[in-house]
Amino acid sequence: MKQQLEQIKTAALSAIAAAENSADCENIRVKYLGKKGELTAILKMMGGLSPEERPIMGQLVNTAKAEVDEALSAKVNEMNEKATELKLKEETIDITMPAKTDKTGKLHPLNTVLNDMIDIFQSMGFDVVDGPEVETDHYNFECLNVPADHPARDMQDTFYLAENILLRTQTSAAQIRTMETRKPPIRVICPGRVFRADEVDATHSPVFHQIEGLVVDKGVTMCDLKGVLEQFAHEIYGPDTKVKFRPSFFPFTEPSVEVDVSCSECGGKGCRVCKGAGWIEILGAGMVHPNVLRSCGIDPEEYSGFAFGIGLDRLTTTRYKISDIRLLFENDKRFLDQF
Ligand code: DAH
């Protein structure tokens, strides 16, 4: 029996030495020390021994059990330590690595300038309205006093989606939609994207942005137009900016003007930004043509109004001294990050 005990112990110890993981250890514990384990079974066989031998054998079995138990605990501890060490090694933090920074996005320069303009006009009592980018010939041209054979259409060729359905060439279409749905007094601006079949170069893009303005009320005059646009120019370009109104032609306004501001870069002396002119053209405007009012059901004998169309892209390139309009549309993050 002693010999048998010795064999079991040796087998248990070598199994412990060969154990590779905690599952192995658990199997060994059950096999040798568990209720039905081999060492427990030997204790049960002691009934057949003489009273003298029993305590001696009992002690031997208990010692063997303690030895196996201790070896097993040591093995489990060793495994746990190894696992911790491995985990620590895998999870080392390299404190010399550059930290990850949170990058927050920012507004595109066009939107920054647009938001400033919306603030300026809202402070003068204008509402912001929206209009569709896909327009009908009726709203984009006909109602704006530009019939099918009008030469002004030549300058505004565009992309036609179907006969009489086109990508709008000007935000002016929003004037008509507004006058059809609102009663005077009307004071609105309509910012948005417009489209023309233009060749791409440093100052032209087939997609660009305008902000349309419209005021209709009783007794609105050219003085109101000048006052509003001068105020706007001073707020955008600074109070010393000079504003020039040049006679011009638009089919939907009479009289019509184009508005220039003194170049904010050179103060009017002439430089690269204003191409030597000292002035920068920023918008077209005029008193709403009676035909346009009439086409929207507004009596031109009772009401008058003025309208304007500002080029947002031009305003943005001059404000940030951007030399090429294409940069605004390429969405190169390295360029946009500068603003
Ligand atoms: N729609 C004109 C253009 O795209 C700009 C413009 C001129 C708008 C005069 C107006 C205006 O409302 O009164 O060239």
Side-chain angles (χ1 to χ4, degrees):
M1 200 168 167
K2 248 189 198 171
Q3 211 179 347
Q4 201 183 344
L5 177 66
E6 202 54 39
Q7 273 171 7
I8 294 172
K9 193 179 88 177
T10 317
L13 290 178
S14 62
I16 291 169
E20 279 176 0
N21 50 41
S22 52
D24 288 353
C25 291
E26 182 54 19
N27 288 341
I28 292 166
R29 199 187 60 75
V30 173
K31 182 165 182 215
Y32 295 99
L33 305 171
K35 264 191 198 159
K36 292 179 187 161
E38 293 184 21
L39 286 170
T40 320
I42 272 221
L43 272 180
K44 285 180 191 156
M45 281 157 58
M46 292 202 335
L49 294 176
S50 67
E52 296 80 43
E53 280 174 322
R54 225 177 277 160
I56 302 168
M57 199 53 206
Q59 209 175 359
L60 283 177
V61 175
N62 280 338
T63 316
K65 272 183 95 172
E67 227 174 292
V68 171
D69 194 27
E70 209 172 290
L72 198 58
S73 301
K75 185 75 180 183
V76 170
N77 281 345
E78 185 192 312
M79 278 178 176
N80 285 345
E81 265 168 36
K82 265 194 196 149
T84 312
E85 230 169 77
L86 197 74
K87 208 170 165 202
L88 281 176
K89 239 186 231 164
E90 276 171 2
E91 289 179 0
T92 37
I93 296 167
D94 180 356
I95 56 162
T96 63
M97 269 192 14
K100 282 186 193 153
T101 50
D102 286 340
K103 286 230 163 140
T104 30
K106 50 172 118 165
L107 287 179
H108 191 284
L110 281 172
N111 280 328
T112 307
V113 177
L114 174 60
N115 287 346
D116 288 353
M117 293 180 60
I118 289 176
D119 282 350
I120 293 170
F121 282 109
Q122 273 181 337
S123 75
M124 290 194 260
F126 285 73
D127 281 350
V128 179
V129 297
D130 206 7
E133 291 177 355
V134 174
E135 257 305 357
T136 59
D137 185 276
H138 174 79
Y139 284 109
N140 194 81
F141 292 125
E142 287 283 340
C143 288
L144 287 162
N145 210 22
V146 188
D149 57 357
H150 199 289
R153 287 206 181 202
D154 282 355
M155 288 185 296
Q156 298 196 10
D157 191 15
T158 183
F159 308 89
Y160 285 80
L161 286 93
E163 212 191 330
N164 295 331
I165 301 195
L166 45 89
L167 293 183
R168 68 175 173 192
T169 60
Q170 47 190 351
T171 42
S172 305
Q175 286 185 25
I176 309 299
R177 290 185 175 274
T178 305
M179 285 190 278
E180 280 181 354
T181 51
R182 293 191 183 201
K183 294 257 155 301
I186 293 170
R187 233 181 291 170
V188 293
I189 56 167
C190 172
R193 233 184 321 217
V194 296
F195 310 82
R196 287 187 198 174
D198 278 348
E199 289 287 338
V200 180
D201 65 23
T203 52
H204 292 88
S205 162
V207 183
F208 59 104
H209 303 81
Q210 290 185 335
I211 295 160
E212 191 75 14
L214 175 71
V215 172
V216 181
D217 202 352
K218 285 181 178 153
V220 175
T221 70
M222 193 91 181
C223 292
D224 300 307
L225 178 153
K226 285 187 78 175
V228 165
L229 294 178
E230 266 176 16
Q231 177 67 21
F232 156 72
H234 288 159
E235 294 212 30
I236 278 277
Y237 287 107
D240 298 331
T241 307
K242 290 196 213 89
V243 185
K244 182 162 76 174
F245 292 81
R246 275 185 292 114
S248 184
F249 170 79
F250 296 103
F252 35 87
T253 46
E254 182 59 37
S256 304
V257 288
E258 268 170 292
V259 176
D260 302 341
V261 291
S262 54
C263 176
S264 53
E265 177 67 5
C266 63
K269 284 189 214 82
C271 68
R272 200 176 48 90
V273 175
C274 58
K275 299 203 179 86
W279 296 94
I280 294 168
E281 184 195 317
I282 56 164
L283 61 93
M287 300 307 292
V288 181
H289 197 291
N291 286 353
V292 175
L293 291 175
R294 236 176 258 124
S295 75
C296 301
I298 294 176
D299 180 2
E301 298 299 324
E302 196 182 352
Y303 291 100
S304 57
F306 66 85
F308 53 89
I310 304 172
L312 177 60
D313 313 85
R314 173 73 63 85
L315 230 57
T316 307
T317 51
T318 51
R319 181 201 267 193
Y320 294 114
K321 303 185 181 66
I322 297 167
S323 57
D324 195 319
I325 194 180
R326 285 170 285 200
L327 291 163
L328 291 176
F329 304 111
E330 280 169 359
N331 279 340
D332 185 333
K333 231 179 130 280
R334 293 164 302 176
F335 168 74
L336 295 173
D337 275 345
Q338 301 173 71
F339 305 98

